[in-house]
Amino acid sequence: MSKFFENPVIKWVEYRLPIFSFIDESVGSGYPTPKNLNYWWNFGSLAGLVLVIMIATGIVLAMNYTAHVDYAFESVERIMRDVNYGWLVRYIHVNGGSMFFILVYIHMFRGLYYGSFKEPRELLWIIGVFILLAMMATAFMGYVLPWGQMSFWGATVITNLFSAIPLIGDSIVTWLWGGFSVDNPTLNRFYAFHYLLPFVIFALVFIHLWALHVHKSSNPLGIDIQGPQDTIPFHPYFTIKDLFGMGVFMLIFMYFVFFAPNFFGEPDNYIKANPLVTPPHIVPEWYFLPFYAILRAVPDIWFISAKLGGVIAMFGSILILLLLPWLDRSKVRSSQFRPINRQLFWVFFVDCLILGWVGANSPDAVFHGVPFLWIGRVTTAYYFAHILLIIPLVSILERTKPLPESISAAVTANAKSGAGE
Amino acid sequence: MKKINAIASILAVALIFGSAVSSATASEGAKPHAQDWSFNGIFGTFDRGALQRGYQVYSEVCAACHALRLLSYRNLTAIGLSPDQVKKIAAEFEVTDGPNDEGEMFQRPARPSDRFVSPFANENAARASNNGALPPDLSLMTKARKGGADYLHGLLTGYKEEPPAGVKLPEGMNYNLYFPGNQIAMAPPLADDAVKYADGTKATLDQVSSDVTTFLAWAAEPELEERKRLGIKVMLFLLVLTGMLYALKVSIWKDQH
C-alpha cells in the first residue's frame, strides 16, 4: 500500500483531494477490524450491494415506465415482453426488494443478538432504524407502481390508515391522495417519492457508515478492541470474506430471479387495478406481514378506536426500537455471555415469524380451533412485552458469564482447543 | 447451543406453517392436481406441438369471448408459425386505422404488428353478451391465479354436470370443483373432440385442456425459455466464481487460523 502512495500521480491527487487515503481508511488496509467477526457480519455489506442493484435497475425501469393509471400496467407488461431484457431488469428489481428486506432483517437480528446497538453505537442503531423506515416507505410506494389489484388496494388500505388520526384524519387522507380516492395524482406522487427515497436511503447509509467507522464494528464477543493485537486490516481479510458472501448471496438471489421470479409476489397483482372489484384477501408484501398482524390485533380500548390503536401499535412497534439502547441496561453486549437473554432472543425471533404468519391469514380464519385474531393478539402483546419489559428486566436481573480478557486472548484460546467460530 | 436453538426454532416454525390451516377454505376451490408440464423445472421448455394445438383451441373456442390484448400477431412466430402463416392469421381480423388523408377512420385487415383483436368492443358489450359476466382477458391468466397452470387445467377439466347434494346453483351458473366458490358463469368450454387436430393427436378433454393451458402459459411468460436458459449460465458462472472466491478467502486467512 505504501508503494501505491509513492506513485507521483497518486501523490498529486492525494495532496489536493485525499481520496485514496479516505478509501484506504474506510474499506482498505488502514481500517482495523475485529479479527473474530463471523459470517453474520456479512449482511451489512450485502444490503449495500442490493441497494446499488436496486438503484441501477430502478433507473433503467424508470426509462420505460409510464406513471399513468391508463398505461402503468401496460407499460410494465411492455417492459416484460418488448423491452430487450426488460423481464430480467424487472425481475431483479422485484426480487431485489424482497432480498433487501431479508438481509436487513437478518442484519437487525444480528445486532439484537450480539448487542451491537449498545453504547457507544446507539446512533448507529438509530440511523439503521431510520433506514428501515425509509426502505418501508420506498417499498410500499414501489409496489403501487405496476398498478395491479394489490397495488391499488394495498395503497387504498394503507393510506386510509391516516384517517384514524382524530379530527384531521380525513383531510390528511384527501391531501395524501391528491383527490377523493387513490387515483392518477396518487400514482404520480408515489412514483416521484419512489424515485427520491432511495437517494435518501443512500445518504442515511453514508451516515450509518460514518458512525460505524468511529467506533468500528462490534464483534461476536461484544468486548472492545484493546489494541492492534485484536484487529486485522479490513483489506484483504474482510474484502475477500464479503466478496465470498456476495457470491453465495447472488446464487440465492439469482435462483429466484431466473427460476421462481414470482415466488414472493401475489398473483392478484397481475390483474389490472379495478376500483370496482375488491380482492377477497388484501395482503401486503411478505415483509410487511408482521406489522400488518400488529395493525389488526388491537381491539377498541376505551376511547381509542381499534383502527387508531392499530395504527399506533404498528408504527410504535418500529419506533420503540429507537429506545432499545436505553431499555437494555446490561453492560455485556453479546448474548454469548447472557444465557437468559440468549434463550429469550429466540423466543422473540419465533414471535416475529408467527406475527408474519398471522399477517398472511385472515383474522377470521381458525388454526386448530384458535382464531388467528387471538394468535395475533398474543404474539403482538409478547412483541411489546419483550422489548418494553423483558429486555429491561433481564438486563438488570441476569447473571452474566465472565467475559474473556480480550478478543485476541479468546481467539488464541479457541484456536488451541480447535473450536474456531 | 445457539445453533441447536436456531434449528429448533426454525423447525418449530416450519411445523406450524406446514400443518394445514383450517381457514375459510370453503370459499376457495379445491387444490388442483400438479401436472407434468413441459415448461416445469429449471430446464423446462414449451412443447411446440402443444403450443400450436393450444393456439388452435384458443382461436376456435376461447377467442369467442376471451381477449388476449397483451399479445401481438407477430408474437406467434415464437410458437413455431412461419411469418407467412402469421400474416394470414392476422389478415383474418379487421382493425380500425386512420385518420387517412381525408380525415376519415377506416377498416383494414390486421397486420402481424397489430395486437390481438378482442372479441368485444368494450366491457359493457362483453357483459351484455355473457349474461352479465365479464370473460377475463387471458394474457396473464397463469400468472394471475394461485396455482397457475395447474389451476387453469383443473378449472377446464373440473366441471360437474350436477352440483353435490345440498348445493343450489343460481340460474345460468355452473358447478366447478376448482373455481373459488365453486360457482362459475362460464359454461364448460371444452369437451372431448372440442376441436379437430391436424396432427392427428386425439382431442380428449384432458388433451385440449393441457394444450390450451400450455399456450396460455406461454402467452403469460413468453420469456420463460430464454430466462431459464440464461439462468443456468448465470448459476454456473456464479458457482465457479464463488468457489474461486472461497479458495482465495481460505488462502488469505491462512495466517490467521
Side-chain angles (χ1 to χ4, degrees):
Chain A
M1 211 59 201
S2 55
K3 234 192 184 137
F4 175 84
F5 282 101
E6 281 162 26
N7 181 307
V9 179
I10 302 297
K11 267 170 123 171
W12 189 92
V13 176
E14 265 290 300
Y15 183 66
R16 286 152 184 87
L17 177 74
I19 186 168
F20 297 109
S21 50
F22 175 78
I23 292 172
D24 188 48
E25 282 156 27
S26 302
V27 289
S29 54
Y31 180 58
T33 312
K35 55 178 17 166
N36 60 334
L37 298 189
N38 58 33
Y39 275 106
W40 296 115
W41 263 260
N42 276 51
F43 288 85
S45 71
L46 288 177
L49 169 72
V50 175
L51 176 62
V52 172
I53 291 175
M54 292 303 276
I55 290 178
T57 50
I59 288 173
V60 177
L61 288 176
M63 293 172 191
N64 294 287
Y65 170 75
T66 310
H68 187 287
V69 289
D70 291 340
Y71 307 111
F73 187 87
E74 282 75 8
S75 76
V76 170
E77 277 306 314
R78 204 187 140 264
I79 291 170
M80 294 299 291
R81 289 159 191 270
D82 292 335
V83 174
N84 288 334
Y85 291 101
W87 57 268
L88 178 58
V89 177
R90 173 162 178 266
Y91 277 155
I92 290 176
H93 198 75
V94 167
N95 287 283
S98 284
M99 292 297 140
F100 206 174
F101 277 92
I102 291 174
L103 295 171
V104 164
Y105 286 153
I106 294 175
H107 188 60
M108 292 178 77
F109 277 116
R110 193 288 317 274
L112 213 58
Y113 183 88
Y114 290 109
S116 308
F117 55 87
K118 286 166 181 275
E119 199 258 302
R121 298 185 184 84
E122 300 96 325
L123 281 178
L124 182 58
W125 170 262
I126 287 170
I127 296 158
V129 176
F130 283 123
I131 292 174
L132 176 68
L133 285 170
M135 274 173 65
M136 289 176 145
T138 311
F140 162 65
M141 290 193 259
Y143 193 56
V144 176
L145 302 185
W147 209 244
Q149 273 290 67
M150 280 300 169
S151 300
F152 179 86
W153 290 99
T156 303
V157 168
I158 300 299
T159 47
N160 253 315
L161 293 180
F162 291 90
S163 70
I165 300 168
L167 301 175
I168 52 169
D170 287 329
S171 310
I172 288 183
V173 173
T174 308
W175 178 68
L176 286 174
W177 285 340
F180 298 99
S181 65
V182 172
D183 207 335
N184 203 44
T186 329
L187 177 61
N188 271 295
R189 62 190 57 190
F190 277 20
Y191 182 43
F193 280 121
H194 185 71
Y195 207 111
L196 167 73
L197 280 176
F199 298 99
V200 174
I201 295 175
F202 205 83
L204 285 169
V205 167
F206 223 84
I207 302 173
H208 194 66
L209 286 175
W210 185 10
L212 172 74
H213 284 123
V214 177
H215 290 285
K216 317 284 189 286
S217 293
S218 173
N219 64 80
L221 294 170
I223 54 179
D224 290 328
I225 298 168
Q226 285 158 13
Q229 73 280 2
D230 289 341
T231 65
I232 44 177
F234 189 86
H235 180 74
Y237 293 104
F238 289 101
T239 37
I240 187 62
K241 198 173 175 181
D242 279 351
L243 278 172
F244 167 59
M246 285 174 188
V248 174
F249 165 70
M250 287 302 282
L251 274 166
I252 298 167
F253 183 12
M254 289 302 125
Y255 176 82
F256 282 107
V257 167
F258 287 105
F259 302 113
N262 295 302
F263 177 81
F264 294 105
E266 279 294 323
D268 273 35
N269 228 28
Y270 281 110
I271 305 171
K272 189 176 175 175
N274 185 347
L276 300 176
V277 179
T278 317
H281 299 293
I282 302 176
V283 282
E285 286 276 81
W286 70 266
Y287 37 79
F288 291 135
L289 290 176
F291 305 103
Y292 196 50
I294 292 174
L295 171 76
R296 298 188 299 183
V298 182
D300 285 314
I301 304 170
W302 198 25
F303 63 91
I304 301 172
S305 69
K307 191 177 185 184
L308 181 59
V311 172
I312 294 172
M314 184 178 70
F315 285 108
S317 66
I318 300 167
L319 294 177
I320 53 169
L321 296 175
L322 296 169
L323 303 175
L324 205 57
W326 295 277
L327 289 169
D328 190 336
R329 321 285 306 171
S330 177
K331 288 271 173 279
V332 176
R333 293 195 190 97
S334 173
S335 290
Q336 277 186 29
F337 306 102
R338 302 183 58 192
I340 299 173
N341 193 64
R342 187 173 68 189
Q343 303 288 340
L344 289 169
F345 166 86
W346 289 109
V347 176
F348 181 68
F349 176 72
V350 171
D351 187 69
C352 292
L353 291 184
I354 297 176
L355 275 172
W357 173 59
V358 171
N361 283 283
S362 158
D364 309 324
V366 172
F367 177 70
H368 290 302
V370 188
F372 270 99
L373 179 66
W374 281 100
I375 303 177
R377 284 186 175 165
V378 170
T379 42
T380 299
Y382 183 79
Y383 180 94
F384 285 98
H386 184 91
I387 293 173
L388 295 173
L389 293 173
I390 293 175
I391 283 184
L393 279 177
V394 169
S395 69
I396 296 164
L397 300 174
E398 182 179 36
R399 186 151 12 130
T400 56
K401 290 188 196 166
L403 292 172
E405 277 168 56
S406 70
I407 294 172
S408 60
V411 169
T412 343
N414 250 352
K416 266 183 194 146
S417 67
E421 183 73 49
Chain B
M1 185 59 197
K2 76 175 179 207
K3 287 206 176 86
I4 296 169
N5 268 332
I7 292 165
S9 54
I10 288 166
L11 277 179
V13 170
L15 272 176
I16 295 172
F17 283 32
S19 52
V21 178
S22 59
S23 69
T25 38
S27 68
E28 285 159 30
K31 197 178 153 50
H33 297 287
Q35 305 290 316
D36 186 20
W37 300 110
S38 56
F39 49 88
N40 276 351
I42 60 171
F43 298 108
T45 54
F46 293 112
D47 175 345
R48 287 297 181 281
L51 279 181
Q52 294 183 21
R53 291 194 300 272
Y55 172 66
Q56 187 190 342
V57 178
Y58 168 75
S59 59
E60 289 179 16
V61 183
C62 319
C65 300
H66 292 278
L68 263 183
R69 67 192 173 89
L70 295 177
L71 267 75
S72 303
Y73 294 108
R74 65 182 162 82
N75 296 137
L76 288 174
T77 52
I79 68 169
L81 301 185
S82 72
D84 282 334
Q85 282 173 305
V86 171
K87 248 182 213 162
K88 242 182 242 155
I89 288 171
E92 292 166 15
F93 297 89
E94 289 253 299
V95 293
T96 309
D97 202 348
N100 62 15
D101 293 344
E102 281 80 46
E104 307 288 336
M105 302 303 281
F106 59 92
Q107 294 293 112
R108 63 159 174 79
R111 301 187 195 113
S113 58
D114 284 312
R115 294 291 176 107
F116 271 48
V117 174
S118 297
F120 300 106
N122 51 55
E123 187 182 323
N124 293 11
R127 283 191 192 277
S129 310
N130 285 284
N131 207 6
L134 177 69
D137 186 277
L138 298 182
S139 313
L140 286 163
M141 201 36 88
T142 58
K143 281 166 104 176
R145 294 291 182 276
K146 269 205 180 95
D150 293 334
Y151 165 76
L152 201 53
H153 176 268
L155 183 95
L156 291 171
T157 54
Y159 280 92
K160 293 270 169 262
E161 280 190 23
E162 287 297 320
V167 177
K168 260 198 102 62
L169 285 177
E171 186 60 34
M173 296 299 260
N174 304 276
Y175 191 85
N176 190 295
L177 274 178
Y178 302 100
F179 191 71
N182 301 121
Q183 297 180 14
I184 184 167
M186 175 168 70
L190 299 174
D192 288 339
D193 301 313
V195 294
K196 194 164 163 39
Y197 284 139
D199 65 359
T201 307
K202 206 166 152 18
T204 59
L205 171 63
D206 185 67
Q207 182 69 40
V208 286
S209 303
S210 294
D211 288 344
V212 78
T213 303
T214 303
F215 172 71
L216 290 175
W218 166 80
E221 299 187 273
E223 88 297 343
L224 180 140
E225 291 181 349
E226 191 191 8
R227 168 159 60 77
K228 290 184 174 179
R229 262 204 313 271
L230 184 58
I232 305 261
K233 289 181 203 153
V234 168
M235 295 303 273
L236 284 175
F237 169 80
L238 282 172
L239 265 175
V240 174
L241 176 73
T242 309
M244 282 167 31
L245 287 171
Y246 182 69
L248 201 54
K249 193 256 167 193
V250 169
S251 110
I252 287 174
W253 278 75
K254 215 187 286 162
D255 60 344
Q256 290 296 328
H257 284 304

